[in-house]
Amino acid sequence: MRKDAQTKRSHVQILSVIAIICATVFLIGSLIYLVLEAFSQGFTAGVRSLIACILPGIIMVFISSFTPLLKLKVHNRNFNLFVVYALWTVLVLILWASTDVQGVPLVEVLLSLTSASILRRVGKSHKDKKLTSCCYGVLTGLLGYICIFGFSI
């Protein structure tokens, strides 16, 4: 019985690692695509897009390291993170598909903000389940969007 539980736990760990890798590849791949597309429209648009990708990471590092804002004793359940990230991903993809805001790299900021908020959980052993919950949420949002809207980005 004990070996079955260990086997099940190792399978779940493998699936969780795959979910983290897939979510990371999706987010970083989308950002790279958007930055390259912006550079194809012009140098200024490309630089703005690149800055939009970097800005949330800088803000997240500052908030995490130098302010108590994110260190409040709030008990977030992993399921809540999963739902929030799933819905957030769907909303960002809807925005990406439906807006044509010339020169405003809004989607880049939102995707980078998503990446930064996930990356702040990396390397903290007590945050592993939260990291995994966020990545499963991103993947669920991506797949849910594709199921509902198809590949309309």
Side-chain angles (χ1 to χ4, degrees):
M1 178 96 162
R2 188 173 179 119
K3 282 191 175 190
D4 290 338
Q6 288 176 342
T7 303
K8 182 179 178 183
R9 194 174 310 130
S10 68
H11 285 36
V12 169
Q13 288 174 338
I14 290 169
L15 288 174
S16 295
V17 168
I18 291 170
I20 291 168
I21 290 169
C22 290
T24 303
V25 167
F26 162 69
L27 290 169
I28 292 173
S30 295
L31 289 170
I32 291 170
Y33 169 78
L34 288 166
V35 169
L36 291 176
E37 186 175 300
F39 271 111
S40 74
Q41 295 171 3
F43 181 75
T44 304
V47 169
R48 288 182 70 189
S49 180
L50 184 61
I51 290 170
C53 292
I54 295 169
L55 181 63
I58 292 170
I59 293 169
M60 193 63 66
V61 167
F62 172 76
I63 290 173
S64 297
S65 301
F66 300 106
T67 66
L69 183 65
L70 297 177
K71 296 175 184 168
L72 299 174
K73 297 291 182 185
V74 178
H75 298 286
N76 288 329
R77 291 193 163 76
N78 295 331
F79 181 75
N80 292 343
L81 286 172
F82 169 78
V83 170
V84 166
Y85 275 82
L87 294 175
W88 174 256
T89 301
V90 169
L91 291 174
V92 171
L93 292 174
I94 288 171
L95 183 66
W96 185 358
S98 64
T99 59
D100 187 25
V101 182
Q102 294 290 330
V104 179
L106 181 61
V107 174
E108 288 94 323
V109 169
L110 297 176
L111 285 173
S112 183
L113 178 64
T114 307
S115 299
S117 68
I118 289 174
L119 288 176
R120 75 174 273 276
R121 291 170 172 81
V122 172
K124 299 178 182 177
S125 61
H126 65 284
K127 303 268 186 171
D128 284 344
K129 289 185 179 180
K130 291 182 180 182
L131 169 69
T132 305
S133 298
C134 295
C135 291
Y136 273 107
V138 168
L139 289 178
T140 300
L142 171 63
L143 296 175
Y145 176 86
I146 292 171
C147 287
I148 296 168
F149 301 105
F151 293 97
S152 62
I153 298 177

